[in-house]
Amino acid sequence: MSLIGQYALRLQRKRLLWRAFRSRHVLRPVANRTRQIARGDILLFSTLRNEKVRLPYFFDYYRDLGVKHFLIVDNDSRDGSRKWLKQQPDCSVWTTKASYRRARFGVDWLNWLQTRYGNGHWTLVADVDEFLVFPFCDTRPLHALTDWMDASAIRALPAMLLDMYPKGPIDAQTYVEGQNPIEIASWFDSGNYAIEKNHRYQNLWIQGGPRARYFFGDQPHNAPALNKTPLVKWKRGYAYVESTHMVLPRGLNQVYDEQGGECISGVMLHTKFLNTFVEKSTEEIKRQQHYGRSREYKAYARQLETKQPDLWNTWSEKYINWRQLEILGLMSKGNWA
Amino acid sequence: MSLGILMLVHTDLDRAAQVARYWASNGNPVVFHVDRKVSTEDEKELRKAVSDLDNIRFSQREDCRWGTWSLVAATQSAAELMLGEFPTVRHVALTSGSCIPLRPVEELVDYLADHPRTDFIESVTVEDVPWTIGGLHHERFTLRFPFSWKTHRRSFDRFVRLQRRIGLKRRVPTGILPHLGSQWWCLTRDTLAAILSHPRRAEFDRYFKTVWIPDESYFQTLARLVAPRIESRTLTLAKFDLQGKPYVFYDDHLQLLRRSDCFIARKVWPQADRLYAAFLAPAARAPQKTEPNPQKIDRVFTSASERRTLGRPGLLMQSRFPQDSWQVIKTAAPYSVFQGFTELFEDFELWLSRRTGAQVHGHLFDWTRVQYAGGEKIIKGGLSDSVDIRDRNPTSFLTSLIWNTRGERQCFQYAPYDRQAINDLVIWDSNAQISVISGAWAIKLFRASMDFETKRKEAAWMQRVEDHFLERLRMRGLPARIRIWTLADFIDDPMEHLQGILDEIEPSAPRRLAEAPKMVDLAGFSVFLQQLKNAGMKPYLTGDFPAEVDPRAALRHNETKPYLVR
């Protein structure tokens, strides 16, 4: 890349950081327990809105993995999420009524919190419907992975979004608080992902899965991006560009091997397609706060009008464990053994 | 008689204390070397933790840095202390704070008692060493390395280059032959004492101070000088990865480590509670006399290294995205591309799948529909028949299809009237078997019901497309297995040609073809070709078709000749 191009990226990063810095004004602390954060703690950052029903399991899952502190931005929840979060001893909460879209879908807020509290820590950014699976996660805690990545001079872990769905209509089974959502949404597409390289940011752009197949069959270029880099050894000056799809400086996006080898990677199990999805999409279309003016939700709505979608087909794979995902080629151990 | 343990520690001192307690309470003295970078409080805490044990000592603290002399100096002083303080020690083992004994202490002590005069130290001549970092073999010993490789890489490299350019070399002290090997050894008292009190020690030390990574060569070289019997292997199981850092053991390696029968393992993740609990527990079995057998564990780590360097061929994923290069295998398994066969044979797909057991798709790159085998809408892996999705990224589409169905041979039809989206992929792919009957598209036109003028235009267009494809197929040195016939050549002896293709698909099936696919009725085809020629479009890709004069057709054609001026 030319020097000018590189400089443009630097300017863009500075601009993102400036936006993040300014967005701190809209974040009102509800509970700030960040003084508890100790050296070497793994931190989780998330933005949410009206997700009370999902929170207990989400917290349990990541506590189990070894996340030590949760830093959450509540975007004006009305369902008691805020109150619940406030009661968690290992959670700091900020709230805001500001526009999610204008905060570039929450990225500004989290960039700020990561800049402020994440420096020198391994930071994980996950939505409440995303569950990180990494090699050996059934026998080794997240700390084992981050220690190994530290020793291997790896700064970021790629973990693509893997859309999970139930068998049968999406709203046939009701998710109850505290339940493992994978019990309902336990199916996924194993091999229909298209990959391109984004030369500007050096990241891979992945599209596909059930969303592309079912909702975007006639406009695949609009299908949501699935590549993510959610786990980063954060340093002040880093900034996510678009959700966690890409990071700047762009060296952090080079998490893949181009000579034929495999780098280590994980998967984010994405459990969006529960019964809660149906009401959510109606609301999100009204709010128009999501990417591309909720383009994604509009595509869903078009399908939802006719019938309750059933994403399942005979070739759907039922989720078992990380080894299954490894064998299918969705993630890799790299040379971690 | 006992075994003395030298322990170099710099972090996770609580674990080191735990292991030291295990050694010491079983009658084996321990000498700690605590890195000077460790804070005094931490060191005090360590001393306090083992203060109840009278056979633990602490040696002079050095500031240890990777790849430098300081590690050797630390070992020397610890070893001197060990030999001086504990006269009953017969063997001395060098370990780190993250080493863990895998077998009961008695077994190791017994083993060493059985080999009283043997030194266990990996010691290999420089030429035979497979592991090197920075590509330095012999130069480790003939150049000088004043800059740290870890922290001043650029200066390190520059200085190496400078010395190479001006031919700056220094002499290896006479009488010694440089050897390399694992840092972790177990030497007899006599050998260790002979090295430490060697009359030329000052000279050797001076030399090794500027050798690169002397901790892997100092004792390894000098042991060759003084030891009567060297067993060139280490009792410490330590595997190194591509970056030269040791593989780490976790709780889930427990069974693997148990079955390895090695004595000591390095290195253990400090938070692997189960490993520490299991291996530091009092012996639960009678002492056994098995030889260490690290092969199984070796295999695990070798396959991990291969995963990192070679990966799984034909897999495109988030952390494996090979650059477009002819060296990279593009797909996961062999597959066949057929062009012109469905035009010539009526039941080609059915015949082929019966004959080979392969999955035979129709035209995967058809403009209107992805024609999966059996008319499926979705196939394995969740690939959909949407043309838009396929065309969004045809390369990903085909590599995914081959990857998803590995284990089952894939065949598909291709034609000039399909989307020409994967030509570059298949011709550069060593897994592709491409068979083309050129000009067979003319049969499709011949049998189609459309007016002649359209046929003529279509023919010209298809010929252009196919010609372009053939031109690429005829490039030299393509890795794909390519067969091209003209239509005329092919129908000359179709059985022979089909047999050749099938033999390649199933090399182990010696059966000759019994049943041939049914060829379409070609009566009147050469007349059609003549009509095309007469209309000014020469279908040269079909080859020289035997002319078959059909006066009626010729007559009819004359009537419809579009540009005939009456």
Side-chain angles (χ1 to χ4, degrees):
Chain A
M1 188 182 239
S2 67
L3 279 174
I4 294 173
Q6 287 178 27
Y7 193 67
L9 281 178
R10 183 184 165 81
L11 285 182
Q12 183 185 8
R13 183 165 60 85
K14 295 288 177 197
R15 193 174 54 85
L16 291 172
L17 289 169
W18 176 245
R19 286 188 68 116
F21 181 67
R22 288 209 323 170
S23 78
R24 77 195 188 284
H25 294 300
V26 301
L27 300 177
R28 188 172 61 78
V30 177
N32 190 336
R33 301 190 179 91
T34 49
R35 299 185 72 165
Q36 293 174 9
I37 297 173
R39 237 181 91 188
D41 280 356
I42 299 174
L43 312 178
L44 186 146
F45 296 81
S46 187
T47 311
L48 58 86
R49 175 188 171 83
N50 295 340
E51 298 281 7
K52 168 97 196 316
V53 67
R54 284 180 182 268
L55 285 173
Y57 185 80
F58 177 79
F59 270 66
D60 286 350
Y61 183 87
Y62 283 106
R63 278 175 188 145
D64 254 17
L65 286 189
V67 168
K68 285 286 154 55
H69 202 88
F70 295 79
L71 298 99
I72 310 278
V73 175
D74 159 57
N75 187 198
D76 197 22
S77 290
R78 308 279 168 88
D79 66 344
S81 295
R82 193 161 50 243
K83 195 172 155 220
W84 189 93
L85 289 166
K86 197 179 164 183
Q87 288 162 355
Q88 304 309 307
D90 52 357
C91 179
S92 298
V93 193
W94 289 261
T95 187
T96 180
K97 289 192 156 95
S99 159
Y100 180 70
R101 178 161 55 84
R102 267 194 258 142
R104 293 178 39 261
F105 317 105
V107 175
D108 286 345
W109 303 332
L110 294 189
N111 270 344
W112 164 246
L113 291 181
Q114 281 178 288
T115 306
R116 175 80 176 76
Y117 301 106
N119 191 30
H121 291 271
W122 280 95
T123 62
L124 179 64
V125 176
D127 286 344
V128 286
D129 54 3
E130 294 171 357
F131 298 92
L132 178 68
V133 170
F134 56 90
F136 305 101
C137 61
D138 46 1
T139 49
R140 302 176 195 173
L142 196 50
H143 242 294
L145 175 70
T146 55
D147 280 358
W148 179 81
M149 293 207 293
D150 274 331
S152 312
I154 301 173
R155 295 181 294 169
L157 178 82
M160 71 175 268
L161 270 186
L162 187 66
D163 290 323
M164 310 295 292
Y165 48 83
K167 185 175 178 177
I170 286 175
D171 61 352
Q173 299 171 70
T174 306
Y175 176 75
V176 294
E177 204 168 301
Q179 188 185 10
N180 178 357
I182 304 292
E183 285 172 12
I184 298 173
S186 40
W187 302 83
F188 62 92
D189 283 10
S190 67
N192 53 4
Y193 300 93
I195 307 180
E196 266 172 80
K197 187 169 164 180
N198 177 341
H199 288 275
R200 181 173 163 83
Y201 297 102
Q202 301 274 300
N203 65 307
L204 295 183
W205 183 18
I206 307 179
Q207 291 177 304
R211 281 192 279 177
R213 161 168 70 78
Y214 197 93
F215 297 111
F216 292 90
D218 51 349
Q219 41 165 339
H221 51 282
N222 277 335
L226 302 176
N227 50 296
K228 287 215 161 200
T229 313
L231 183 62
V232 176
K233 178 79 176 268
W234 202 260
K235 255 197 201 159
R236 208 159 279 152
Y238 289 0
Y240 278 116
V241 182
E242 214 175 90
S243 171
T244 51
H245 299 314
M246 39 220 175
V247 208
L248 283 176
R250 63 183 185 153
L252 291 165
N253 294 324
Q254 280 163 338
V255 289
Y256 51 94
D257 190 297
E258 292 192 287
Q259 312 304 320
E262 292 175 31
C263 293
I264 192 167
S265 54
V267 155
M268 276 287 198
L269 302 179
H270 189 208
T271 61
K272 186 191 196 106
F273 297 111
L274 298 177
N275 58 311
T276 50
F277 171 76
V278 180
E279 13 176 323
K280 203 134 202 158
S281 50
T282 331
E283 191 201 334
E284 292 308 338
I285 290 165
K286 231 181 284 160
R287 288 178 65 230
Q288 300 232 337
Q289 287 286 307
H290 280 269
Y291 185 72
R293 300 248 165 199
S294 300
R295 179 169 69 203
E296 199 181 326
Y297 284 101
K298 282 177 194 159
Y300 303 149
R302 256 190 317 161
Q303 302 278 345
L304 289 168
E305 267 169 22
T306 47
K307 61 175 187 239
Q308 278 306 316
D310 181 0
L311 301 172
W312 190 88
N313 64 68
T314 42
W315 296 109
S316 298
E317 292 275 348
K318 189 165 193 191
Y319 178 73
I320 304 168
N321 57 21
W322 70 268
R323 283 183 194 274
Q324 170 199 26
L325 301 182
E326 226 255 332
I327 291 166
L328 289 170
L330 291 164
M331 59 186 270
S332 178
K333 292 183 284 199
N335 60 332
W336 200 29
Chain B
M1 287 300 128
S2 60
L3 164 70
I5 302 287
L6 310 179
M7 213 183 236
L8 309 180
V9 297
H10 63 101
T11 161
D12 298 296
L13 301 187
D14 49 333
R15 285 300 190 192
Q18 211 180 337
V19 176
R21 170 170 299 280
Y22 176 79
W23 290 117
S25 59
N26 281 295
N28 300 290
V30 175
V31 172
F32 271 115
H33 175 272
V34 184
D35 193 329
R36 196 180 293 158
K37 284 191 285 295
V38 174
S39 70
T40 345
E41 299 96 78
D42 288 352
E43 196 224 354
K44 267 194 194 136
E45 214 158 282
L46 173 65
R47 282 179 187 263
K48 213 171 95 196
V50 295
S51 57
D52 58 321
L53 295 158
D54 58 2
N55 53 354
I56 289 186
R57 299 287 184 277
F58 287 80
S59 72
Q60 173 87 39
R61 293 174 67 182
E62 297 273 343
D63 186 2
C64 290
R65 284 172 202 283
W66 184 87
T68 65
W69 170 255
S70 53
L71 285 162
V72 179
T75 312
Q76 284 176 332
S77 65
E80 276 162 356
L81 187 65
M82 172 67 75
L83 296 183
E85 292 270 315
F86 302 104
T88 59
V89 163
R90 186 156 54 178
H91 271 91
V92 176
L94 179 62
T95 69
S96 79
S98 52
C99 289
I100 193 172
L102 299 184
R103 288 167 67 174
V105 186
E106 311 92 85
E107 293 188 17
L108 177 53
V109 173
D110 287 354
Y111 187 82
L112 293 173
D114 288 346
H115 304 82
R117 300 188 48 75
T118 307
D119 294 290
F120 294 94
I121 179 165
E122 191 181 30
S123 164
V124 189
T125 54
V126 183
E127 286 73 26
D128 306 326
V129 168
W131 71 88
T132 46
I133 296 177
L136 295 166
H137 284 262
H138 202 70
E139 289 174 326
R140 282 186 182 204
F141 298 98
T142 57
L143 302 182
R144 289 177 174 79
F145 301 95
F147 298 103
S148 159
W149 188 73
K150 284 232 158 140
T151 54
H152 297 86
R153 182 80 54 95
R154 197 173 286 181
S155 304
F156 180 97
D157 288 340
R158 271 195 198 148
F159 197 62
V160 165
R161 273 201 302 273
L162 179 72
Q163 292 178 85
R164 279 178 187 159
R165 189 168 325 143
I166 62 176
L168 193 64
K169 272 194 179 174
R170 65 205 180 113
R171 194 166 297 153
V172 180
T174 48
I176 64 169
L177 183 63
H179 279 69
L180 291 172
S182 164
Q183 182 187 357
W184 316 107
W185 42 252
C186 180
L187 296 174
T188 60
R189 180 181 198 89
D190 297 345
T191 303
L192 193 54
I195 292 174
L196 293 173
S197 56
H198 199 280
R200 289 169 68 196
R201 178 171 159 190
E203 183 196 344
F204 293 150
D205 286 8
R206 205 165 46 244
Y207 169 72
F208 276 101
K209 265 177 195 167
T210 48
V211 161
W212 192 41
I213 324 186
D215 49 316
E216 285 184 358
S217 59
Y218 181 81
F219 289 96
Q220 289 72 6
T221 303
L222 296 186
R224 288 280 170 191
L225 200 61
V226 300
R229 201 179 125 73
I230 283 182
E231 180 92 2
S232 181
R233 65 184 160 101
T234 160
L235 298 179
T236 305
L237 172 71
K239 298 292 295 173
F240 294 88
D241 68 8
L242 306 154
Q243 291 168 303
K245 64 179 168 36
Y247 275 111
V248 179
F249 297 113
Y250 301 92
D251 282 345
D252 45 286
H253 289 124
L254 180 62
Q255 292 310 322
L256 206 59
L257 288 171
R258 275 233 167 93
R259 270 178 277 145
S260 76
D261 281 325
C262 292
F263 288 107
I264 302 173
R266 172 183 153 80
K267 85 192 235 180
V268 178
W269 190 47
Q271 292 172 56
D273 296 337
R274 267 181 73 204
L275 291 188
Y276 278 98
F279 289 118
L280 298 185
R285 64 176 190 194
Q288 289 174 358
K289 291 211 169 195
T290 39
E291 280 289 326
N293 174 25
Q295 268 134 31
K296 207 160 203 167
I297 250 177
D298 279 356
R299 228 172 300 144
V300 171
F301 293 123
T302 311
S303 76
S305 284
E306 282 175 2
R307 184 53 64 88
R308 179 66 189 81
T309 49
L310 306 172
R312 290 168 278 182
L315 173 63
L316 297 183
M317 50 103 73
Q318 52 176 337
S319 53
R320 181 184 199 270
F321 196 66
Q323 275 171 348
D324 210 10
S325 136
W326 59 271
Q327 285 159 317
V328 175
I329 299 173
K330 300 194 175 346
T331 48
Y335 59 94
S336 307
V337 185
F338 291 96
Q339 177 151 320
F341 287 73
T342 41
E343 288 85 348
L344 184 59
F345 300 108
E346 265 173 7
D347 53 351
F348 180 70
E349 291 167 33
L350 187 68
W351 175 84
L352 185 65
S353 72
R354 271 209 200 122
R355 185 60 190 71
T356 60
Q359 187 162 40
V360 183
H361 302 285
H363 290 262
L364 287 182
F365 293 88
D366 184 81
W367 284 86
T368 53
R369 198 173 69 81
V370 182
Q371 299 174 5
Y372 291 127
E376 295 290 333
K377 295 195 84 60
I378 288 184
I379 62 157
K380 206 165 182 180
L383 281 174
S384 106
D385 68 347
S386 152
V387 174
D388 293 312
I389 291 180
R390 177 199 69 195
D391 291 347
R392 170 97 178 104
N393 193 334
T395 310
S396 268
F397 170 79
L398 187 59
T399 35
S400 297
L401 185 132
I402 304 292
W403 170 260
N404 293 341
T405 55
R406 56 200 191 282
E408 190 183 14
R409 178 144 192 143
Q410 303 295 305
C411 303
F412 65 90
Q413 320 303 323
Y414 201 52
Y417 47 86
D418 285 342
R419 247 191 87 96
Q420 304 287 304
I422 46 141
N423 297 1
D424 277 339
L425 173 69
V426 294
I427 65 174
W428 290 107
D429 183 6
S430 55
N431 277 322
Q433 181 201 38
I434 308 169
S435 312
V436 180
I437 305 176
S438 75
W441 40 265
I443 302 178
K444 184 182 160 80
L445 292 176
F446 163 61
R447 283 153 56 97
S449 52
M450 51 173 106
D451 67 85
F452 183 76
E453 179 56 18
T454 321
K455 282 186 183 181
R456 198 191 67 87
K457 275 187 186 151
E458 292 267 296
W461 167 66
M462 285 181 198
Q463 177 149 277
R464 215 162 43 238
V465 174
E466 183 163 81
D467 192 48
H468 184 69
F469 185 40
L470 290 177
E471 195 180 307
R472 314 235 38 207
L473 287 175
R474 291 199 176 104
M475 288 194 297
R476 274 157 183 262
L478 292 181
R481 271 148 306 165
I482 298 166
R483 287 181 172 75
I484 305 168
W485 302 272
T486 62
L487 180 59
D489 283 348
F490 193 89
I491 56 178
D492 218 25
D493 190 1
M495 293 292 267
E496 187 59 33
H497 301 315
L498 286 172
Q499 183 71 46
I501 297 171
L502 294 189
D503 283 349
E504 199 172 271
I505 295 180
E506 298 178 301
S508 54
R511 235 160 6 114
R512 301 292 302 169
L513 269 180
E515 167 208 12
K518 188 164 173 257
M519 207 182 282
V520 298
D521 180 15
L522 287 179
F525 179 61
S526 57
V527 178
F528 171 69
L529 292 181
Q530 189 58 46
Q531 285 175 345
L532 286 175
K533 285 181 202 158
N534 296 348
M537 188 265 151
K538 187 182 179 196
Y540 56 91
L541 289 180
T542 54
D544 291 330
F545 230 78
E548 134 197 27
V549 186
D550 182 349
R552 274 177 305 134
L555 192 70
R556 200 166 57 239
H557 173 67
N558 269 342
E559 285 163 5
T560 55
K561 215 170 198 174
Y563 50 84
L564 197 71
V565 185
R566 283 178 192 277

